[in-house]
Amino acid sequence: MLKLILRRVALTLPTFVALMFVTFVAVRLVPGDPIEARTGERGIDPERLAALRHELGLDQPVWKQFLDYVYALLHGDFGVSIVTKTPVLHEFLILFPATLELALCALVFAVVLGVPAGVLAAVKRGSVLDHSVMAVALAGYSMPIFWWGLLLIMFMSEYLGLTPVSGRMDLINYYFEPVTGFMLIDSLLSGEDGAFSAAVAHLILPTIVLGTIPLAVIARMTRSSMLEVLGEDYVRTARAKGLSPLRVVGLHALRNALIPVVTVVGLQTGTLLAGAVLTETIFAWPGVGKWLIESISRRDYPALQGGIMLISAIVILVNLIVDMLYVAINPRIRHG
Amino acid sequence: MTALLSIRNLSVTFATGRGPFRAVDKVDLDVAPGELVAIVGESGSGKSVAMLAVMGLLPWIATVTADRMMFDGRDLLALSARERRKIVGRDLAMIFQEPMSSLNPCFTVGFQIREAMAAHLDLSRAQRQARAVELLELVGIPEPERRLKAFPHQLSGGMSQRVMIAMALACNPKLIIADEPTTALDVTIQAQILDLLLKLQKESGVGLVLITHDMGVVAETAQRVCVHYAGQQVEMQDTRGLFRDPHHPYTAALLAALPERAQGRLLPSIPGIVPGLADRPAGCLFSPRCRFATETCRTVPPPRAGAELGLALCHTPLIAGVPQRREFAA
Ligand SMILES: Nc1ncnc2c1ncn2[C@@H]1O[C@H](COP(=O)(O)OP(=O)(O)O)[C@@H](O)[C@H]1O
Ligand code: SF4
Ligand SMILES: [Mg+2]
């Protein structure tokens, strides 16, 4: 088991090297540079321009910039934001809980609805229920996030007035210092009446928007995996013991059917974080997604490079954890 | 005779993509308490499907009909699914052909054995564990405590089948249906597993329906034999009578193809194949392969003969190998 973990960790190293290179290049492929982005149309006097470029290290040859960047990264230094002058890692850590909270809620939403929907569709295969679940899943999978978000805002917030349009919290009525960075927890800790329900209300739409695609993927995967498992001999054995259908399906079949689903859920973390960038922008959600988009428009190279590196590292880490989980829930590998 | 299991005119039809397919066609079966009844017949003759119908384990595309399906004084046809589940797994157990795939890979052997007890018996957790150990000892598995913690993929095929047998015995059933319990195993351990099953059957006095290809085993162990062909039951006799004087031409052909002294491990092969959905003859299903077939055989479905002729499904049942022409109303 330990050997397996070490091997998987070692395998991620080349990925990181490639990542460093790709982020560095990709960031520089965006037309313009940080100084142009800040001076805009007004122009800037050449001496000042040279001074700024020197200050930011942009006057160095590109290969030198890359080596400096790699050297800093290897020392755990993600650079300093050109715009805010604060360390990138610091900014990231402040903003990340908001993204994590949203992503976790979306994931829970997708799993809690997707797994039962897939199981029901499989058990009642060919029925109206099955066809409806699959049709909705297909629709959810194909829905552009931006369009879906605006649609929900228009209907739920503007028309029905049920949910707030944007943000994480109702800042006019509530104010409290972040403790954990998770609004759901902090609002509870604040002890302010109604703060928690306000936090929940703000989370609903972003959660649905971000969770829709994973929900569709998980429902479809659960259904097909379940259909396969339901035909297995050991399911027949379970029924031959006179066990209730709930136990046969919910324990014997589902336990096996979930093995591939866990992998799919793991693969969704990438999708989830990518989706968070869009979702946060739609809902003005103060997380790393929105921050990255803003960093692009400011050509804040260090923020972009560092942010992408950190997010990628998280995706790789989660995939690693999922791999371990896959081993943990699959006795055939665990006791190879 | 107060039969433990009594079945009349059991039929099973599958709704397949190419129309309905009758896999089991008017089959009868009686098993007395403690009796060993063998069912023989080529692959695809509906043996498994018929027994799965008794267990209530067929997929939803199957339609089961019967005039009677009594088990232990209860009408299985009239029971609700919930009531039936109280019988299945407790009084009525089944051992399957593929032991390796019949155990759930995600749960330990112990969990799977104790589970049936938890569902049916009023035992404490410790009692269930003790009984599980006892069962593994009974089926000849060494180091039972350690084996109970094993996962199925850590067991060999023979071991798995021993576990399946232990599982079937867990609630002290009255009848066990063993569907070709050794076919999937290594030839070297087939005899071991079969001997174990027969020994346990003798000791516990449980009724046993043994589906097998092994005519040698049938001759040595079964009290009665049912011969299935293409979903139909073509003959049923006590074992001695069947081997001495088979009344259906198919049975006769099976026995004739048997090596001297019935030592063959596999069902002997006779020319031709079992008809499928598309090529079902109009009259007797065996007529394309029967050496006694007449024009009547090919066009008119045969009637069932009396018990003295092994209930043979034949226009001209054999006596001492000679077809007996009878008058019948066409
Ligand atoms: N689920 C199913 N759907 C359609 N046909 C089936 C199904 N299960 C079994 N059959 C058919 O029923 C017939 C009898 O099968 P079976 O009872 O397994 O034969 P055997 O005598 O070898 O045990 C076969 O032709 C098989 O193809
Ligand atoms: S009915 Fe005719 S074809 Fe069929 S088994 Fe009897 S003799 Fe053979
Ligand atoms: Mg079979």
Side-chain angles (χ1 to χ4, degrees):
Chain A
M1 184 78 189
L2 188 70
K3 232 170 90 185
L4 200 77
I5 295 178
L6 288 179
R7 222 186 57 192
R8 284 292 284 110
V9 173
L11 276 177
T12 60
L13 288 180
T15 320
F16 271 108
V17 173
L19 252 174
M20 280 190 251
F21 184 72
V22 170
T23 46
F24 183 85
V25 172
V27 161
R28 262 147 258 260
L29 283 179
V30 184
D33 69 21
I35 299 164
E36 271 178 41
R38 268 195 296 173
T39 53
E41 303 286 293
R42 281 176 290 129
I44 186 169
D45 102 77
E47 236 163 80
R48 174 112 182 82
L49 177 69
L52 273 174
R53 288 184 67 88
H54 179 73
E55 188 189 319
L56 299 176
L58 295 174
D59 54 347
Q60 308 274 352
V62 173
W63 61 266
K64 179 90 174 25
Q65 290 183 37
F66 182 66
L67 288 185
D68 287 347
Y69 161 64
V70 171
Y71 181 83
L73 265 187
L74 290 180
H75 287 77
D77 177 4
F78 288 85
V80 172
S81 162
I82 294 177
V83 179
T84 61
K85 308 285 187 229
T86 43
V88 171
L89 184 62
H90 181 74
E91 284 202 342
F92 184 89
L93 289 180
I94 288 178
L95 295 170
F96 187 63
T99 302
L100 185 61
E101 182 171 47
L102 175 58
L104 281 180
C105 286
L107 192 63
V108 169
F109 166 78
V111 170
V112 165
L113 285 184
V115 169
V119 170
L120 277 181
V123 171
K124 307 255 174 228
R125 69 184 144 327
S127 68
V128 177
L129 182 89
D130 179 19
H131 291 308
S132 327
V133 167
M134 284 308 101
V136 171
L138 185 65
Y141 188 72
S142 329
M143 189 82 82
I145 287 190
F146 236 97
W147 165 242
W148 179 220
L150 293 179
L151 212 64
L152 277 176
I153 290 177
M154 272 164 57
F155 186 71
M156 300 278 285
S157 306
E158 306 281 326
Y159 183 70
L160 293 177
L162 289 176
T163 51
V165 178
S166 67
R168 288 180 86 189
M169 191 27 102
D170 193 347
L171 294 172
I172 297 173
N173 294 325
Y174 306 102
Y175 182 76
F176 40 83
E177 285 297 322
V179 182
T180 60
F182 295 98
M183 196 56 90
L184 286 178
I185 300 175
D186 287 350
S187 62
L188 275 180
L189 292 178
S190 76
E192 289 188 41
D193 263 356
F196 180 70
S197 45
V200 171
H202 280 84
L203 256 170
I204 292 177
L205 289 194
T207 296
I208 295 177
V209 169
L210 185 54
T212 296
I213 289 178
L215 167 62
V217 173
I218 290 172
R220 286 159 58 128
M221 189 66 211
T222 306
R223 177 182 180 272
S224 68
S225 171
M226 197 69 187
L227 273 182
E228 200 179 310
V229 166
L230 283 175
E232 295 284 348
D233 286 351
Y234 53 77
V235 171
R236 189 178 59 189
T237 307
R239 293 206 294 141
K241 289 184 203 171
L243 305 176
S244 69
L246 190 67
R247 193 174 167 96
V248 172
V249 173
L251 188 73
H252 283 268
L254 188 58
R255 180 67 177 71
N256 285 276
L258 278 184
I259 294 173
V261 174
V262 165
T263 311
V264 167
V265 170
L267 293 177
Q268 289 299 305
T269 43
T271 317
L272 217 51
L273 288 174
V277 173
L278 286 177
T279 312
E280 288 178 3
T281 307
I282 303 171
F283 290 96
W285 190 267
V288 288
K290 187 158 157 289
W291 173 65
L292 277 179
I293 294 277
E294 286 163 4
S295 299
I296 293 178
S297 58
R298 297 173 189 149
R299 307 292 186 275
D300 192 341
Y301 289 172
L304 269 176
Q305 281 168 189
I308 294 174
M309 272 311 282
L310 284 163
I311 288 196
S312 312
I314 288 167
V315 171
I316 290 173
L317 187 74
V318 170
N319 279 318
L320 196 66
I321 293 172
V322 168
D323 277 0
M324 300 302 135
L325 205 60
Y326 183 81
V327 172
I329 64 170
N330 193 341
R332 273 170 290 200
I333 300 183
R334 185 159 26 114
H335 306 269
Chain B
M1 177 180 75
T2 53
L4 182 59
L5 179 68
S6 178
I7 296 169
R8 289 293 172 275
N9 280 332
L10 171 67
S11 296
V12 180
T13 307
F14 287 106
T16 69
R18 286 171 299 146
F21 172 64
R22 179 163 278 212
V24 177
D25 192 5
K26 300 205 188 77
V27 165
D28 298 346
L29 181 66
D30 285 296
V31 186
E35 190 181 24
L36 198 168
V37 177
I39 302 181
V40 297
E42 282 158 293
S43 276
S45 53
K47 308 180 297 291
S48 300
V49 170
M51 290 304 107
L52 289 172
V54 175
M55 295 288 292
L57 294 179
L58 286 171
W60 58 280
I61 54 163
T63 312
V64 179
T65 59
D67 292 346
R68 182 162 84 205
M69 206 194 292
M70 298 285 288
F71 174 74
D72 197 23
R74 309 197 56 184
D75 184 358
L76 293 181
L77 295 170
L79 291 181
S80 70
R82 178 187 290 266
E83 287 171 313
R84 191 156 172 180
R85 284 200 302 271
K86 288 188 191 150
I87 297 177
V88 168
R90 189 185 65 188
D91 296 333
L92 182 57
M94 187 155 177
I95 298 164
F96 301 97
Q97 186 174 336
E98 299 285 345
M100 305 280 260
S101 58
S102 292
L103 288 167
N104 194 324
C106 283
F107 298 100
T108 63
V109 166
F111 177 90
Q112 297 185 59
I113 295 180
R114 290 188 302 264
E115 187 178 35
M117 292 186 250
H120 297 292
L121 305 180
D122 200 11
L123 296 178
S124 70
R125 184 177 288 267
Q127 285 169 317
R128 290 199 292 270
Q129 173 68 13
R131 171 119 178 96
V133 171
E134 189 185 304
L135 283 165
L136 285 200
E137 274 166 1
L138 199 64
V139 297
I141 294 184
E143 299 184 79
E145 275 97 353
R146 201 169 67 86
R147 288 296 180 187
L148 284 176
K149 295 199 192 89
F151 282 89
H153 71 273
Q154 297 166 309
L155 306 180
S156 65
M159 255 338 161
S160 301
Q161 197 61 300
R162 283 176 199 267
V163 169
M164 290 297 292
I165 294 173
M167 227 152 74
L169 290 171
C171 300
N172 285 316
K174 295 175 176 159
L175 181 68
I176 294 179
I177 297 169
D179 186 359
E180 303 190 32
T182 61
T183 308
L185 303 179
D186 272 2
V187 182
T188 45
I189 45 172
Q190 288 188 351
Q192 284 176 30
I193 296 292
L194 197 73
D195 289 347
L196 171 73
L197 191 62
L198 295 171
K199 181 181 82 112
L200 292 171
Q201 191 253 338
K202 208 161 282 167
E203 283 170 9
S204 62
V206 61
L208 181 63
V209 175
L210 180 65
I211 301 177
T212 179
H213 277 167
D214 192 330
M215 290 303 266
V217 169
V218 173
E220 285 164 28
T221 61
Q223 273 119 45
R224 257 165 342 106
V225 188
C226 300
V227 184
H228 282 212
Y229 184 80
Q232 296 179 327
Q233 186 173 330
V234 294
E235 178 158 4
M236 173 156 69
Q237 276 211 67
D238 64 87
T239 309
R240 207 116 54 84
L242 186 102
F243 278 84
R244 195 177 44 213
D245 189 11
H247 297 307
H248 193 278
Y250 177 62
T251 318
L254 280 185
L255 295 177
L258 215 61
E260 195 71 6
R261 304 195 63 76
Q263 286 303 320
R265 279 278 158 229
L266 290 176
L267 200 66
S269 59
I270 54 177
I273 53 159
V274 184
L277 178 57
D279 52 355
R280 252 173 136 72
C284 171
L285 296 184
F286 189 53
S287 58
R289 300 165 78 184
C290 180
R291 50 188 277 252
F292 303 109
T294 64
E295 200 41 44
T296 316
C297 297
R298 277 183 267 274
T299 50
V300 184
R304 196 171 283 294
E308 75 287 354
L309 287 172
L311 301 167
L313 201 62
C314 178
H315 286 297
T316 57
L318 309 177
I319 291 180
V322 182
Q324 305 296 301
R325 313 244 160 239
R326 292 176 303 168
E327 295 306 312
F328 62 89

